[in-house]
Amino acid sequence: SKEDQDPISPTASNRSTKILKLSKALLSLGHIKEMSAARSLTTGNHKIASDEKITGKIKLDNLSEQQKEELYEVFKESYIKSTGQAWSKDLFFSRAYDWTLYGIVGGPATGVVAIREQFGGLNKLVAIAGNVRGILAGIKAVQEDKSDAPIWGAVSPEMIPMVKRFGFKVADRAQLDQIIGKLPGYLRRQIGEVDSDGSFKMNIAEVGETTKKFIYNDSYEELFALKNQS
């Protein structure tokens, strides 16, 4: 399909130019920050040596060692930009073994949305990281694969414009109070100070305290009968 075709040319200069053009176009719509959109042809200190990629719905077991390395590097880069720290590689893969990845892994377009299925049919959006092209492909793939499933997550404030574009809602303070009471104890203990706009501090292993906002889709809202603040 046209969505699966990579419009980025084989030369490094053309690839960089087209990635920057894409980021600026999205930036003009207010969806992302230019820095997070315009990833270079390197991932951290690791130069990408291959354009081989996997797209759509992805499991870790289906990735090559190089693709796993690229995946970890984009998560590491995203966490460092957001919090100044990141999980170690061992901790990342110990947590990610049961995630389902959506998006693109492999090459400069590597970007994913990660979902972890929970008991009772819930789905936690556990991470969004990498190149904006891969992230956008990932959000579309999540919607297609889990169109009626309740999905929730806690994301960095800079990701809010992007996820709202795809129909996710952001909890206000009153809704967050409802939601916190329904969360498992281990998650409630990670949540710290809550601001009037619904943003909150969250303690993450090996990262520390970071600011998050709670997001959810229509199915989650219906399941928990969330009420608007008014």
Side-chain angles (χ1 to χ4, degrees), residues 26-41:
L26 289 170
L27 181 66
S28 69
L29 297 175
H31 296 316
I32 55 169
K33 292 183 177 180
E34 187 167 5
M35 282 182 62
S36 62
R39 288 190 63 242
S40 68
L41 295 181

Side-chain angles (χ1 to χ4, degrees), residues 16 18-27 31-40 77 81 108-110 130-136 159 162:
S16 297
K18 291 194 175 184
I19 291 171
L20 287 170
K21 284 182 178 178
L22 173 62
S23 71
K24 288 178 181 177
L26 289 170
L27 181 66
H31 296 316
I32 55 169
K33 292 183 177 180
E34 187 167 5
M35 282 182 62
S36 62
R39 288 190 63 242
S40 68
E77 180 181 303
K81 284 182 178 178
T110 295
N131 182 279
V132 66
R133 180 170 174 265
I135 292 172
L136 293 175
M159 300 302 300
M162 182 183 290

Side-chain angles (χ1 to χ4, degrees), residues 39 43-48 60 63-77 89 92-93 105-106 110:
R39 288 190 63 242
T43 306
N45 294 322
H46 295 74
K47 189 173 181 63
I48 294 172
L60 278 179
L63 300 179
S64 67
E65 290 305 311
Q66 177 181 323
Q67 288 166 337
K68 289 179 181 178
E69 180 73 16
E70 293 175 20
L71 178 66
Y72 171 69
E73 289 296 329
V74 298
F75 274 94
K76 177 182 174 182
E77 180 181 303
K89 188 181 295 186
F92 171 76
F93 285 111
V105 177
T110 295

Side-chain angles (χ1 to χ4, degrees), residues 17-166:
T17 299
K18 291 194 175 184
I19 291 171
L20 287 170
K21 284 182 178 178
L22 173 62
S23 71
K24 288 178 181 177
L26 289 170
L27 181 66
S28 69
L29 297 175
H31 296 316
I32 55 169
K33 292 183 177 180
E34 187 167 5
M35 282 182 62
S36 62
R39 288 190 63 242
S40 68
L41 295 181
T42 60
T43 306
N45 294 322
H46 295 74
K47 189 173 181 63
I48 294 172
S50 171
D51 288 331
E52 179 185 357
K53 65 180 182 286
I54 297 179
T55 64
K57 183 177 180 180
I58 307 163
K59 285 289 191 179
L60 278 179
D61 289 346
N62 296 330
L63 300 179
S64 67
E65 290 305 311
Q66 177 181 323
Q67 288 166 337
K68 289 179 181 178
E69 180 73 16
E70 293 175 20
L71 178 66
Y72 171 69
E73 289 296 329
V74 298
F75 274 94
K76 177 182 174 182
E77 180 181 303
S78 295
Y79 263 94
I80 289 175
K81 284 182 178 178
S82 177
T83 69
Q85 300 184 66
W87 285 348
S88 66
K89 188 181 295 186
D90 287 343
L91 179 58
F92 171 76
F93 285 111
S94 72
R95 296 291 182 89
Y97 77 93
D98 62 348
W99 295 359
T100 301
L101 307 172
Y102 297 85
I104 301 171
V105 177
T110 295
V112 295
V113 176
I115 296 285
R116 179 163 57 81
E117 295 181 356
Q118 299 178 303
F119 293 113
L122 293 176
N123 295 266
K124 182 180 179 184
L125 193 160
V126 289
I128 300 175
N131 182 279
V132 66
R133 180 170 174 265
I135 292 172
L136 293 175
I139 294 175
K140 290 179 182 178
V142 169
Q143 291 178 317
E144 293 172 0
D145 189 48
K146 296 186 174 292
S147 57
D148 298 320
I151 302 173
W152 68 278
V155 303
S156 300
E158 61 265 25
M159 300 302 300
I160 294 300
M162 182 183 290
V163 297
K164 286 178 71 174
R165 176 186 175 190
F166 286 89

Side-chain angles (χ1 to χ4, degrees), residues 178-192:
Q178 298 174 59
I179 291 165
I180 289 175
K182 304 175 189 299
L183 294 175
Y186 78 94
L187 279 177
R188 288 199 301 270
R189 289 190 290 272
Q190 293 178 19
I191 296 176

